[in-house]
Amino acid sequence: MRKIRVGLIGFGISGQVFHAPVMRSVAELELVCVTARKADQQLLLKERYPHTKIALSADEIFADETIDLVVIATSNEMHYPFAKRALETGKHVVVEKPFTNSVEQADELIALAKEKKLILAPYHNLRFNSDYRTVEKIIQSGRLGRIVNLESRFDRFRNYLRPNAWREENLAGSGIFYDLGPHLIDQTLQLFGKPNAIFADLAVQRDHAKTIDNFDCILYYDNLRVSLKGSMLAKEPTPRYRIFGINGNFVKYGIDPQEALLREGKFPDEDPNWGKEDPSLYGKLNIMEEGKDIEEIIPSEIGSYPDFYQNVADTILGKADLIASAEQARDVIKIIELSYKSQLERRVIPVESQLIAY
């Protein structure tokens, strides 16, 4: 079997946690080169991936004609220029979220990938979370009846500013909305398609903070409201999802276990129980069904980040279509741009025909 040779640009938290160990689980992928300028990154690479070459710059990966796929796991402002360079040198590309910092950049990359007949995929890995897969299954089952409200939160607690962190600076693509918002928006578009309009309240709440650290967005559909929220000051756990239907509710606390395991240095291909949630985190369905009140604990679906990279490999080999497409990621960025417009003008903004994948 011919291996797809992969170059990874960026070996910070994103590269170390969400990409390199996940790719290792896909037989068709071979991680051959990783950029690592810091000594601790180089030591970790030698320890965990001893056969992988260390590059001191992205230029070494772009110049390597044997590399088929480039994965970009850098700070947000480098997603667009590095993706463009990779495509121009004839390589398929995976880009960490947010896909780009603007719709204009996204449109340019999509056109270039089509021109070059190359795969361009956003790393919307939270579609492969156990919690989201469970929500998707519950909605599709129809047991809640017509959905009237969905609340989705992605919270953290850090009441101080992290020193020397680019996400804490007032830069394009920084802040919690560009960091966590793309996941929630992407999931909403997958579940319900294009909204009619959006209203957003984006705030800076922590002392001395320079960029958005709290967001509250409402996406309006014909007979449905979706509320997306995130905060850096949520110390008490909040429900990850709350779904309100004509027949009742579904409430889910806790998050998929994969990130925590990856941060511990675990590999998906070494754990037969990978992606299984602890039963204490299972969601609760509370509905009226056939005239009876029913409360039911719903076992969570199994999460699997390797499924993302397996799909990318299969698409490059001509055996599948991308599950997460660049066009879909572009529409996520459009919703973010409309949210900032809503914040600036303090009004509900029509979405109209501004999305292209839905």
Side-chain angles (χ1 to χ4, degrees):
M1 176 181 64
R2 185 186 77 85
K3 295 275 191 176
I4 297 168
R5 292 170 58 83
V6 183
L8 171 60
I9 301 177
F11 202 60
I13 292 298
S14 180
Q16 292 174 20
V17 172
F18 294 107
H19 293 279
V22 176
M23 283 187 277
R24 203 185 88 149
S25 303
V26 179
E28 293 87 347
L29 300 179
E30 181 183 6
L31 184 62
V32 297
C33 189
V34 178
T35 61
R37 289 178 294 180
K38 298 180 180 179
D40 60 329
Q41 294 176 344
Q42 294 175 1
L43 286 173
L44 184 62
L45 262 173
K46 290 177 181 177
E47 174 189 335
R48 305 195 80 198
Y49 310 96
H51 302 295
T52 299
K53 176 185 174 183
I54 294 174
L56 298 180
S57 74
D59 289 336
E60 295 179 51
I61 288 179
F62 298 136
D64 189 336
E65 296 182 355
T66 71
I67 289 177
D68 306 295
L69 170 66
V70 171
V71 175
I72 299 167
T74 62
S75 56
N76 294 353
E77 79 274 8
M78 299 309 298
H79 290 184
Y80 162 74
F82 279 165
K84 184 177 180 181
R85 285 281 307 281
L87 292 169
E88 288 173 339
T89 54
K91 305 181 191 308
H92 304 291
V93 178
V94 167
V95 186
E96 180 58 86
K97 58 79 200 162
F99 179 49
T100 56
N101 285 342
S102 72
V103 169
E104 181 181 6
Q105 292 175 345
D107 286 338
E108 183 178 346
L109 292 181
I110 290 168
L112 181 59
K114 288 182 177 178
E115 176 190 334
K116 298 284 189 177
K117 296 182 173 56
L118 294 167
I119 300 303
L120 175 61
Y123 194 56
H124 281 172
N125 61 314
L126 262 61
R127 290 195 203 177
F128 303 86
N129 267 10
S130 56
D131 47 20
Y132 172 70
R133 285 179 163 178
T134 304
V135 164
E136 188 177 40
K137 182 177 180 179
I138 286 291
I139 291 175
Q140 291 175 353
S141 76
R143 296 186 69 188
L144 288 169
R146 179 170 59 82
I147 307 300
V148 297
N149 268 105
L150 182 143
E151 297 176 2
S152 178
R153 296 193 65 108
F154 207 143
D155 293 321
R156 291 174 174 167
F157 182 77
R158 190 168 69 245
N159 60 0
Y160 60 91
L161 305 186
R162 182 176 290 165
N164 304 314
W166 62 265
R167 284 190 177 89
E168 303 275 25
E169 298 297 328
N170 186 20
L171 304 170
S174 66
I176 190 176
F177 192 44
Y178 264 95
D179 184 25
L180 304 180
H183 288 308
L184 304 189
I185 295 167
D186 177 62
Q187 291 180 356
T188 300
L189 295 179
Q190 291 303 302
L191 290 171
F192 303 116
K194 180 176 75 71
N196 300 321
I198 186 169
F199 177 78
D201 182 15
L202 311 177
V204 181
Q205 296 185 330
R206 293 173 299 166
D207 295 339
H208 311 298
K210 300 176 183 179
T211 189
I212 301 299
D213 57 11
N214 182 279
F215 64 87
D216 187 347
C217 298
I218 301 175
L219 277 65
Y220 297 89
Y221 293 81
D222 289 343
N223 297 301
L224 166 69
R225 300 289 184 270
V226 176
S227 175
L228 308 178
K229 300 182 181 184
S231 173
M232 292 297 292
L233 294 174
K235 198 167 192 306
E236 184 69 17
T238 55
R240 179 70 180 84
Y241 296 96
R242 292 204 301 173
I243 311 173
F244 299 79
I246 293 297
N247 296 340
N249 311 137
F250 176 74
V251 179
K252 174 72 174 67
Y253 282 83
I255 60 173
D256 176 280
Q258 294 178 91
E259 178 175 344
L261 292 170
L262 290 166
R263 285 181 179 272
E264 292 172 7
K266 305 292 179 58
F267 289 106
D269 57 349
E270 292 180 346
D271 185 352
N273 294 313
W274 187 264
K276 290 184 179 180
E277 277 193 357
D278 188 289
S280 66
L281 298 180
Y282 289 172
K284 180 180 179 181
L285 184 69
N286 189 341
I287 59 173
M288 179 169 285
E289 198 167 62
E290 297 180 352
K292 297 179 180 179
D293 290 324
I294 296 176
E295 293 188 7
E296 185 178 333
I297 300 301
I298 305 297
S300 295
E301 297 295 295
I302 296 174
S304 177
Y305 293 160
D307 287 358
F308 170 87
Y309 270 112
Q310 185 64 63
N311 174 250
V312 169
D314 289 343
T315 304
I316 290 173
L317 297 172
K319 300 190 292 186
D321 295 323
L322 282 176
I323 293 174
S325 73
E327 289 80 4
Q328 292 166 350
R330 177 263 186 207
D331 286 349
V332 169
I333 302 303
K334 186 62 185 180
I335 293 293
I336 290 177
E337 288 188 349
L338 293 175
S339 297
Y340 273 94
K341 180 178 175 67
S342 173
Q343 167 69 22
L344 180 66
E345 300 180 5
R346 306 308 300 151
R347 68 183 180 93
V348 175
I349 304 294
V351 174
E352 299 174 340
S353 61
Q354 301 181 68
L355 306 190
I356 61 175
Y358 298 91

